[in-house]
Amino acid sequence: MDRAPFYDDVADAPDGATCVWLTAADGVRIRAAHWRGGEKGTVLLFPGRTEYIEKYGPAAGEFAARGYAMATLDWRGQGIADRLLDDRAPGHVECFSDYSLDVAAFMAWVEMQDLPRPFFLIGHSMGGCIGLRAIHDGIAVNAVTFSAPMWGILMQPVVRPVAWGLSWLATVSGQGHRMVPSTSPLTYVLEAEFEGNVLTRNREMWEFMRRQLTVHPDLAIGGPTMQWLYEALKETHALHQMQSPDLPCLTVLGAEERIVHAASIHDRMSRWPGSEFDLVGSAEHELMMEGPETRAKFYDRAAALFDASRG
């Protein structure tokens, strides 16, 4: 398998990253990376929509300091994985289950890397949606931590049926590649101002993300397509109907969340026996991109769960 680029100049990551190209079963090329870190086990970090490996360089350092290796990936259609449209800007997927093909390729690679066992999962935002599906599909992890998981998309109740109808119509009429109205081809952190942004209240981490996408614009994507929206609505609805897995779980959500549907998270956690749920005051969507105290608490609590679940 071929080595892939890793932008260590902007990653703030530990030394020793291994970064490779992987090919999913349908021929789509994705990117994956790991850091060997500690020997307690390996954290598999599933990023959110628009995200990429370098954004989680600091997370690799945090988990190494707590005794864990870490592996993560660029999902199809984002980062420098294969884009699915000629226009690189929109965030697109043909079918949400295609992300499961990325999971399969990633897991096959991880299992060949002689990384420390057991494996643990962290799923942020869209990665939390993909991660919950992967758990139902039997991914071999001992415990999971979710950060603001996308188990529903935040929108006004009157807008939801319109979003379902228009995204379905666009998809079946061959217009699914068009961007969701009101979204932009520009990536959010380069278009928005820090004041009032929906990701973080910490300026240092905001500037960290901006620098990554300014120096390496090939990492960036803009708003989602209508087909991505329709597929996401279908998948979150399907997951809502499922029982909670029998797996140790911690879910952390910012009290100021404005991207994912908080009520869906509260509902899921009320139906997950033995799980832990932490609502963090004065925090937005990106718990791993908030201030030092919030970040440290997140990593400490995730590591404590993983320590207790090593078997």
Side-chain angles (χ1 to χ4, degrees), residues 118-167:
F119 294 154
F120 304 94
L121 179 62
I122 285 189
H124 171 64
S125 197
M126 185 183 81
C129 179
I130 298 169
L132 183 56
R133 171 64 69 177
I135 292 168
H136 280 294
D137 288 347
I139 189 173
V141 295
N142 279 29
V144 59
T145 295
F146 292 111
S147 162
M150 191 192 80
W151 295 334
I153 300 172
L154 183 62
M155 58 182 71
Q156 294 295 324
V158 294
V159 174
R160 191 169 298 276
V162 176
W164 269 100
L166 290 181
S167 62

Side-chain angles (χ1 to χ4, degrees), residues 29-108:
R29 189 175 72 164
I30 63 173
R31 186 174 62 138
H34 71 67
W35 292 262
R36 292 206 171 264
E39 295 300 322
K40 289 182 176 180
T42 301
V43 175
L44 312 175
L45 197 154
F46 284 10
R49 198 192 79 81
T50 80
E51 296 185 333
Y52 43 85
I53 289 168
E54 287 78 5
K55 185 170 179 177
Y56 290 101
E62 296 284 358
F63 282 115
R66 291 163 175 81
Y68 289 90
M70 195 188 92
T72 188
L73 72 161
D74 287 355
W75 301 116
R76 62 183 59 213
Q78 58 192 60
I80 58 172
D82 281 354
R83 300 292 171 97
L84 306 176
L85 300 173
D86 291 338
D87 183 355
R88 287 180 56 85
H92 184 70
V93 74
E94 292 292 319
C95 180
F96 223 82
S97 62
D98 289 348
Y99 292 123
S100 296
L101 303 179
D102 299 350
V103 172
F106 176 66
M107 291 303 299

Side-chain angles (χ1 to χ4, degrees), residues 229-247:
L229 176 60
Y230 179 60
E231 290 295 322
L233 290 169
K234 283 201 305 178
E235 178 68 352
T236 53
H237 178 74
L239 288 173
H240 177 77
Q241 310 305 312
M242 297 180 179
Q243 293 186 343
S244 297
D246 182 17
L247 190 73

Side-chain angles (χ1 to χ4, degrees), residues 1 3 18-20 22 33-34 36 42 71 106-117 119:
M1 86 192 37
R3 290 284 179 140
T18 296
C19 194
V20 300
L22 304 176
H34 71 67
R36 292 206 171 264
T42 301
F106 176 66
M107 291 303 299
W109 174 71
V110 164
E111 288 167 359
M112 291 190 303
Q113 296 305 295
D114 194 30
L115 291 166
R117 305 295 182 104
F119 294 154

Side-chain angles (χ1 to χ4, degrees), residues 198-233:
V198 300
L199 299 180
T200 176
R201 295 193 169 190
N202 184 262
R203 186 178 291 274
E204 180 182 357
M205 297 307 289
W206 177 258
E207 293 300 332
F208 170 71
M209 294 184 285
R210 286 179 62 89
R211 178 170 175 267
Q212 289 180 325
L213 297 171
T214 300
V215 176
H216 296 287
D218 54 338
L219 293 170
I221 65 170
T225 63
M226 296 293 281
Q227 190 159 343
W228 182 94
L229 176 60
Y230 179 60
E231 290 295 322
L233 290 169

